Structures are given as C-alpha cells and as structure tokens.
C-alpha cells in the first residue's frame, strides 16, 4: 500500500488561498455602497455636479424612474455633469443575453422623453461601480465639483473605450 504525500495537497490549498487573497486585494473601491454594488441592489440617489441642482435633480429622478420601468433593469446609478448625464444600470442575470436590445430600448425612451439631454448609457459593471464611487465621493465635503467633473469625463472615456 502506497502512502500519498500531503505536500502537493497543501501546496494546492496554499496556491488557491494566495489567488483569492490577490483577487481581493485588487479592488480599491472606497465607498460603503461601492463595496456591495455588485452583490445587491444599492439604488443610489441621482447626483448633480454644478449649478442648477434643483431643476436637474427633478429631471434625473424622472430619468431614474424611466430606466427602472424597463423590465429586466433592477438597479440604476445616474450622475449629471455640466453637459452629459451618465446612466449606468444593472440587468437581471437571465436577461444578460439581450443587453443590446435593452440598451437600445432605454436609449430610445430617454431620447423621446428628454430630447435636450445628452445621455451616456451603459450596462457595464465597471462603469456602474465608477458611478457609484463618484456618488460616494460627492458626500465627502473635500471633494470639489471640478474633481467630480474630471472623474465624470474619465467614466465617459471609459465607456467610449468599451464600445
């Protein structure tokens, strides 16, 4: 009867543990909502950077309701800068095969209801997390509108790179 060596088994467990540790260390999202955004619905409030916040906030709430009215969408994060409105949303897992059609429907609805607004629409989780992080940063009093606008332009550039 042969005895199996326990060293290769321990090495496999150690390797698996190291991989999990490295994967967990690669995320650098700071906000409380950002940490759980991929796991559950966070439903952040729409955020406006710049002047004329009260009017824009009413518009963003209508945009929020309009996007949530699309069937498989269950979570929406919206940020408005000086010109653009970034709409990031999550879709129920079983409907991920229909992403292009869902995005087209959302785009058509928003363009019809809000023709004067410029929308950047994305279902990408990375962009969703970046928008949530931007909303979390807005709560920090040290965070300026100029920094937020710069971050918003980075998110828009990221969206353009992904398409």
């Amino acid at each position: 009867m042969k005895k199996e060596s326990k060293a290769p088994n321990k090495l496999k467990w150690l390797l698996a543990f190291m991989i999990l540790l490295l994967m967990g260390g690669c995320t650098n999202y700071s906000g409380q909502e950002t940490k759980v955004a991929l796991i559950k619905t966070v439903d952040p409030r729409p955020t406006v950077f710049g002047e004329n916040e009260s009017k824009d906030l009413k518009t963003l709430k209508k945009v929020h309701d309009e996007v949530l009215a699309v069937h498989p969408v269950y979570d929406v994060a919206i940020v408005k800068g000086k010109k653009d409105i970034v709409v990031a949303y999550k879709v129920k897992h079983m409907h991920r095969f229909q992403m292009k059609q869902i995005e087209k429907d959302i785009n058509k609805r928003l363009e019809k209801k809000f023709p004067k607004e410029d929308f950047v629409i994305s279902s990408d989780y990375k962009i969703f997390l970046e928008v949530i992080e931007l909303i979390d940063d807005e709560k920090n009093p040290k965070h300026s509108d100029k920094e937020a606008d710069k971050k918003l332009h980075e998110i828009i550039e990221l969206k353009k790179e992904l398409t």
Side-chain angles (χ1 to χ4, degrees), residues 31-44:
Q32 197 62 15
E33 285 184 342
T34 308
K35 293 177 184 176
V36 296
L38 290 180
I39 300 169
K40 65 178 191 172
T41 304
V42 289
D43 198 27

Side-chain angles (χ1 to χ4, degrees), residues 10-112:
K10 286 182 181 179
L11 187 62
K12 289 178 186 176
W13 280 105
L14 181 64
L15 183 63
F17 177 73
M18 293 299 289
I19 289 172
L20 287 173
L21 188 66
L22 284 173
M23 287 173 55
C26 290
T27 59
N28 63 349
Y29 297 108
S30 57
Q32 197 62 15
E33 285 184 342
T34 308
K35 293 177 184 176
V36 296
L38 290 180
I39 300 169
K40 65 178 191 172
T41 304
V42 289
D43 198 27
R45 62 178 173 69
T47 304
V48 178
F49 296 106
E51 63 278 340
N52 207 2
E53 280 189 40
S54 62
K55 180 185 173 208
D56 288 339
L57 206 51
K58 288 179 185 177
T59 302
L60 293 185
K61 287 181 182 178
K62 290 178 185 175
V63 169
H64 181 268
D65 294 340
E66 194 66 34
V67 173
L68 279 179
V70 176
H71 165 60
V73 175
Y74 70 93
D75 203 3
V76 181
I78 303 172
V79 176
K80 183 178 188 330
K82 291 178 182 173
K83 296 185 294 182
D84 299 316
I85 298 175
V86 176
V87 178
Y89 61 93
K90 293 192 291 186
V91 173
K92 294 178 182 172
H93 188 69
M94 292 302 293
H95 297 276
R96 298 219 35 101
F97 295 110
Q98 304 159 350
M99 293 304 286
K100 289 190 181 213
Q101 183 62 41
I102 293 167
E103 188 165 335
K104 192 185 293 184
D105 291 345
I106 290 172
N107 200 7
K108 189 188 310 180
R109 288 177 88 142
L110 293 179
E111 292 296 330
K112 184 178 178 183

Side-chain angles (χ1 to χ4, degrees), residues 116-128:
K116 295 179 182 177
E117 303 293 343
D118 293 325
F119 292 101
V120 176
I121 301 169
S122 178
S123 63
D124 190 82
Y125 281 136
K126 172 74 175 167
I127 292 179
F128 188 85

Side-chain angles (χ1 to χ4, degrees), residues 130 133-134 146-155:
E130 293 290 333
E133 187 174 356
L134 183 59
K146 189 175 181 178
E147 290 174 16
D149 201 45
K150 182 180 175 187
K151 177 80 171 175
L152 189 64
H153 285 295
E154 289 174 7
I155 293 171

Side-chain angles (χ1 to χ4, degrees), residues 1-6:
M1 204 186 267
K2 267 187 173 180
K3 285 189 174 181
E4 289 187 27
S5 174
K6 291 187 178 186

